[in-house]
């Protein structure tokens, strides 16, 4: 599923783009989760409050208040560099300015549905070519798109109030989520992650060293390795490092 934000100060245009996305979904079996924003300020506020939850932003350039290019600059300045931006406009002269915010596509209104669909399919193919390097973390309060490389480890946390509570630890934050650790272990095993304990998955890229039945992560945190897993974990890490330097 691709999370898409549509940002336009005209309701008619928001609904038009939403309808085209739904039509494309029915034709192609590509699933879209669509969120509508009536202004650039609303979209920036979402990023400030919730974080990076979108794969694709479809934005009108000409909006009252903060225009589309200003909105994109604010989002890029928050270091959200992976989200792909598609601008919609009636004025081609904005095209050069849009390059400053790393724009995937620039479509001139009125939008031709077949051209829109063609560009969206290419954009979805781009994400698939990225080999799914993102994971969507869900909780009661937020949804976050995290890059695999940014995750240090995922751990089970005992909680009396939250069932299947997990901490997803990055360099900057610890994100509280809910889920089954083994599901993450299966989904991430081909991306450099390894379950070292019944309650811990680590990103091998962030390992500093091993110390007996413990692993020291690059940030200095010491994590336990399950008794029966010590040899398996060290062997897996050796293979991982050999693959990286080949």
């Amino acid at each position: 599923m691709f999370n898409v934000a549509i940002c336009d100060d005209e309701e008619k245009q928001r609904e038009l783009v939403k309808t085209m996305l739904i039509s494309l979904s029915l034709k192609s079996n590509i699933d879209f989760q669509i969120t509508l924003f009536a202004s650039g300020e609303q979209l920036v506020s979402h990023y400030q409050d919730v974080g990076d939850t979108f794969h694709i932003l479809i934005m009108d350039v000409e909006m009252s208040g903060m225009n589309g290019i200003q909105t994109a600059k604010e989002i890029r300045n928050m270091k959200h560099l992976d989200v792909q931006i598609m601008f919609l406009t009636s004025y081609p002269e904005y095209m050069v300015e849009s390059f400053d915010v790393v724009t995937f596509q620039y479509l001139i209104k009125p939008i031709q549905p077949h051209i829109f669909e063609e560009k969206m399919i290419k954009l979805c193919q781009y994400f698939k070519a990225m080999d799914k390097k993102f994971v969507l973390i869900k909780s009661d309060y937020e949804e976050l798109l995290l890059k695999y490389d940014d995750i240090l480890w995922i751990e089970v946390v005992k909680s009396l109030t939250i069932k299947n509570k997990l901490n997803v630890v990055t360099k900057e934050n610890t994100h509280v989520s809910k889920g089954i650790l083994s599901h993450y272990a299966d989904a991430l095993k081909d991306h450099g992650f390894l379950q070292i304990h019944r309650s811990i998955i680590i990103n091998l890229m962030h390992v500093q060293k091993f110390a007996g039945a413990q692993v020291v992560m690059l940030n200095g945190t010491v994590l336990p390795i399950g008794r029966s897993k010590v040899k398996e974990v060290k062997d897996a890490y050796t293979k991982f490092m050999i693959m990286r330097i080949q």
Side-chain angles (χ1 to χ4, degrees), residues 115-132:
I115 295 177
F116 176 81
E117 291 180 1
E118 176 187 318
K119 303 304 182 183
M120 284 300 301
I121 289 172
K122 285 185 178 179
L123 190 44
C124 293
Q125 288 172 342
Y126 164 80
F127 278 108
K128 290 178 181 178
M130 291 285 286
D131 197 25
K132 300 181 180 178

Side-chain angles (χ1 to χ4, degrees), residues 27-92:
K27 293 177 185 177
S28 63
N29 291 322
I30 300 174
D31 292 326
F32 298 105
Q33 180 172 307
I34 303 168
T35 307
L36 304 180
F37 296 90
S39 69
E41 288 84 354
Q42 283 186 7
L43 182 56
V44 169
S45 178
H46 171 91
Y47 270 90
Q48 291 171 336
D49 296 339
V50 180
D52 188 11
T53 62
F54 299 113
H55 296 92
I56 303 166
L57 306 181
I58 302 175
M59 284 198 288
D60 185 23
V61 173
E62 305 88 26
M63 293 189 288
S64 57
M66 187 180 291
N67 69 31
I69 292 175
Q70 291 170 333
T71 302
K73 285 180 178 178
E74 288 289 326
I75 292 168
R76 292 298 193 214
N77 287 338
M78 291 184 230
K79 306 304 180 185
H80 299 305
L81 305 179
D82 296 309
V83 63
Q84 297 300 305
I85 299 173
M86 178 183 289
F87 279 124
L88 311 177
T89 182
S90 302
Y91 301 97

Side-chain angles (χ1 to χ4, degrees), residues 6-11 13-14 37-39 60 63 109:
I6 301 170
C7 185
D8 197 307
D9 59 352
E10 294 185 19
E11 182 179 2
Q13 287 296 318
R14 293 195 300 272
F37 296 90
S39 69
D60 185 23
M63 293 189 288
K109 296 179 180 179

Side-chain angles (χ1 to χ4, degrees), residues 135-144 154-157 159-168 174-184:
V135 62
L136 184 66
I137 302 298
K138 297 183 179 182
S139 74
D140 289 338
Y141 312 104
E142 61 182 358
E143 289 188 349
L144 289 175
I154 304 174
E155 61 185 356
V156 175
V157 182
S159 173
L160 297 177
T161 57
I162 301 177
K163 185 178 180 182
N164 299 322
K165 181 179 179 181
L166 300 174
N167 279 346
V168 181
T174 296
H175 303 283
V176 177
S177 182
K178 294 193 297 184
I180 307 300
L181 191 71
S182 60
H183 293 174
Y184 281 98

Side-chain angles (χ1 to χ4, degrees), residues 231-242:
K231 185 178 185 304
E232 174 191 340
V233 169
K234 292 181 179 179
D235 287 348
Y237 180 70
T238 300
K239 291 178 182 177
F240 173 78
M241 293 305 294
I242 290 172

